[in-house]
Amino acid sequence: IAVLGDSYSMASGVDTDKSFHALLENEMNEKNQRPYEIINFAVGGFGLERYNATLEHLVPAWQPDAILLGYCGFNDQQALPPKTGSVPPFNPKRIDGMWTSYIREYIDLRQAEKLALQNTAESVLSDKHLAFIDRELQRMRTLAEQIKPGMPIVLVYLDNRIHAEQDLQRIAGIAQRHNIQFV
């Protein structure tokens, strides 16, 4: 089983033998006569586009029987910024990409959490986010089929924050449309 994901799936800050996929592998091997091997391809900071690049270029050599996608509910709905062809010179007055991609997103999502705690959770996924998720999960299904037709893919929604039920249902619906299980 190939694991794709970011720092949550990489298990950053967690002993390797205590990661969710290591625990899963141990449990599967204890309960089944057939041995299972879970190979972790997750890299901190990656998102859906890079998961697919990993699936396209690194995973096929291992010929997995299934894919376990650790979907990070914090930022996996974000597309990579467009390539500009060159790196701009350093400008100390310019706010860096960390602020624009993660910190601002974190602040926005914290505001959504506050609403959720007041039982008025609002969707944080825009139509643009949903279209991006749909496109990337469709690409993942296509890449998986090239490795092994009918390959099972399980999307595990990983996050430690409250989200609108509507967002979870939308992601689950997109996953289902591409024959991807949602947990």
Side-chain angles (χ1 to χ4, degrees), residues 8-76:
Y8 279 37
S9 299
M10 187 178 81
S12 180
V14 176
D15 290 338
T16 303
D17 62 332
K18 293 185 175 51
S19 66
F20 76 88
H21 38 78
L23 296 172
L24 176 64
E25 180 180 34
N26 290 339
E27 185 174 326
M28 290 170 65
N29 284 327
E30 287 173 9
K31 292 183 178 183
N32 296 289
Q33 293 184 5
R34 174 185 152 185
Y36 287 88
E37 181 179 20
I38 296 180
I39 302 170
N40 190 356
F41 291 91
V43 177
F46 271 23
L48 283 172
E49 292 165 304
R50 289 188 174 134
Y51 305 160
N52 280 331
T54 302
L55 182 58
E56 181 176 10
H57 298 287
L58 297 177
V59 173
W62 294 87
Q63 289 297 298
D65 296 310
I67 295 169
L68 181 61
L69 168 62
Y71 180 95
C72 177
F74 178 62
N75 62 357
D76 276 355

Side-chain angles (χ1 to χ4, degrees), residues 7-169:
S7 59
Y8 279 37
S9 299
M10 187 178 81
S12 180
V14 176
D15 290 338
T16 303
D17 62 332
K18 293 185 175 51
S19 66
F20 76 88
H21 38 78
L23 296 172
L24 176 64
E25 180 180 34
N26 290 339
E27 185 174 326
M28 290 170 65
N29 284 327
E30 287 173 9
K31 292 183 178 183
N32 296 289
Q33 293 184 5
R34 174 185 152 185
Y36 287 88
E37 181 179 20
I38 296 180
I39 302 170
N40 190 356
F41 291 91
V43 177
F46 271 23
L48 283 172
E49 292 165 304
R50 289 188 174 134
Y51 305 160
N52 280 331
T54 302
L55 182 58
E56 181 176 10
H57 298 287
L58 297 177
V59 173
W62 294 87
Q63 289 297 298
D65 296 310
I67 295 169
L68 181 61
L69 168 62
Y71 180 95
C72 177
F74 178 62
N75 62 357
D76 276 355
Q77 76 277 6
Q78 299 290 331
L80 290 171
K83 293 181 182 179
T84 61
S86 65
V87 177
F90 176 70
N91 178 350
K93 295 180 180 176
R94 182 175 169 257
I95 296 174
D96 70 3
M98 179 65 177
W99 167 258
T100 57
S101 65
Y102 292 104
I103 298 172
R104 185 179 343 162
E105 182 76 11
Y106 178 77
I107 291 169
D108 291 346
L109 289 173
R110 292 295 294 167
Q111 293 300 323
E113 283 179 29
K114 287 179 184 177
L115 291 173
L117 292 174
Q118 298 167 1
N119 294 324
T120 58
E122 293 183 16
S123 174
V124 296
L125 295 178
S126 68
D127 289 341
K128 181 180 173 183
H129 291 138
L130 295 169
F132 170 75
I133 294 166
D134 186 56
R135 181 179 71 242
E136 293 304 316
L137 291 184
Q138 180 180 23
R139 182 168 179 244
M140 183 172 288
R141 170 48 63 202
T142 300
L143 292 168
E145 292 295 324
Q146 292 171 2
I147 297 170
K148 181 179 180 181
M151 182 183 297
I153 302 174
V154 177
L155 184 156
V156 180
Y157 187 92
L158 302 171
D159 208 340
N160 58 354
R161 294 163 295 125
I162 298 170
H163 288 278
E165 186 63 31
Q166 180 182 16
D167 284 345
L168 297 175
Q169 289 174 359

